[in-house]
Amino acid sequence: EDKVVQSPLSLVVHEGDTVTLNCSYEVTNFRSLLWYKQEKKAPTFLFMLTSSGIEKKSGRLSSILDKKELFSILNITATQTGDSAVYLCAVLRPSGTYKYIFGTGTRLKVLA
Amino acid sequence: SAVISQKPSRDICQRGTSLTIQCQVDSQVTMMFWYRQQPGQSLTLIATANQGSEATYESGFVIDKFPISRPNLTFSTLTVSNMSPEDSSIYLCSVEERVVLSTGKVATEAFFGQGTRLTVV
């Protein structure tokens, strides 16, 4: 059965800390892995990763994929209170129509 | 990226009633997706809505409970029927934009509406 597992489930840090969020997956016919930030209800897109070893960066956020070991990490440096959110990892696999398998998310709280 | 408007934003409903959630996209899309996110859980795909044909439901979801309409390429509705407290969730509509990778394969980026927080009492 396809599954996506994120760790830790929750994390509390102070402003300025660096955090690493993990996402491991077991998905047949892997196509891509996506990271989302969910602050209230709607997830907002952060990164899409398709190739191993190529780091994607956007400001203080970066992410990398390891297709051999079947995991991805999301790094956030110099965290701010505005980074507090649930971070979701999703893996896309073709299944008739394309289908996303979502992890349960990591709830990050950044304290001032 | 597509702009998706979803409403209502939230609602509190009595058990046994039904709620229809609307999703409007600012561009024409072939497929629209409806997800549910129960408290503390991840997003689970309910169904895929294609224009001009019946929606395709995932395992565990049935049309009688979650009827879907897709009258055109920019609009869809999801109805949560005969609600019970277990239906209390966030409901999200989603569309995808296709990306052609350097390998020639196709991947997609999913974009979401603002979500509907449903509480059934």
Side-chain angles (χ1 to χ4, degrees):
Chain A
E1 183 182 341
D2 293 337
K3 62 180 178 181
V4 176
V5 178
Q6 291 185 246
S7 63
L9 291 180
S10 65
L11 193 56
V12 180
V13 300
H14 290 90
E15 273 193 318
D17 289 349
T18 294
V19 297
T20 298
L21 310 181
N22 303 291
C23 175
S24 63
Y25 62 91
E26 295 178 23
V27 175
T28 55
N29 297 321
F30 170 93
R31 185 60 60 87
S32 60
L33 184 146
L34 297 89
W35 283 96
Y36 289 87
K37 178 181 181 182
Q38 186 179 28
E39 292 180 84
K40 290 184 178 178
K41 292 179 293 182
T44 54
F45 174 80
L46 294 175
F47 297 112
M48 181 174 73
L49 303 159
T50 58
S51 302
S52 286
I54 299 175
E55 185 183 44
K56 293 282 186 84
K57 287 180 71 76
S58 176
R60 296 176 293 102
L61 277 66
S62 64
S63 185
I64 197 162
L65 174 68
D66 186 328
K67 291 169 72 174
K68 181 179 179 183
E69 300 298 330
L70 307 183
F71 78 91
S72 173
I73 60 172
L74 175 68
N75 279 320
I76 308 175
T77 59
T79 51
Q80 303 170 357
T81 55
D83 296 326
S84 297
V86 174
Y87 290 84
L88 295 167
C89 170
V91 174
L92 173 69
R93 66 168 177 83
S95 173
T97 60
Y98 293 99
K99 184 174 181 179
Y100 290 92
I101 311 295
F102 279 86
T104 51
T106 293
R107 183 175 297 277
L108 173 66
K109 186 170 180 61
V110 182
L111 303 175
Chain B
S1 59
V3 176
I4 307 168
S5 301
Q6 184 176 339
K7 58 181 182 181
S9 173
R10 59 176 60 226
D11 208 340
I12 301 173
C13 301
Q14 297 290 324
R15 68 174 67 203
T17 63
S18 298
L19 175 72
T20 296
I21 303 168
Q22 300 180 3
C23 186
Q24 178 78 49
V25 188
D26 69 343
S27 58
Q28 293 184 338
V29 293
T30 304
M31 293 184 292
M32 296 177 72
F33 303 85
W34 288 97
Y35 286 86
R36 179 176 74 180
Q37 187 179 28
Q38 294 177 301
Q41 303 296 314
S42 186
L43 277 71
T44 301
L45 182 64
I46 297 171
T48 302
N50 298 303
Q51 195 270 334
S53 63
E54 281 207 357
T56 304
Y57 288 82
E58 297 297 308
S59 175
F61 298 97
V62 295
I63 188 171
D64 289 345
K65 176 67 175 177
F66 297 101
I68 287 172
S69 78
R70 186 78 202 277
N72 57 54
L73 290 173
T74 63
F75 187 78
S76 178
T77 67
L78 170 77
T79 298
V80 186
S81 303
N82 188 25
M83 288 183 285
S84 66
E86 292 70 35
D87 294 321
S88 298
S89 292
I90 294 172
Y91 292 85
L92 293 151
C93 69
S94 171
V95 301
E96 295 176 348
E97 292 189 352
R98 295 200 167 191
V99 177
V100 180
L101 306 175
S102 58
T103 58
K105 290 185 176 180
V106 176
T108 67
E109 297 177 5
F111 298 93
F112 293 88
Q114 300 95 324
T116 298
R117 187 181 299 276
L118 170 62
T119 302
V120 183
V121 298

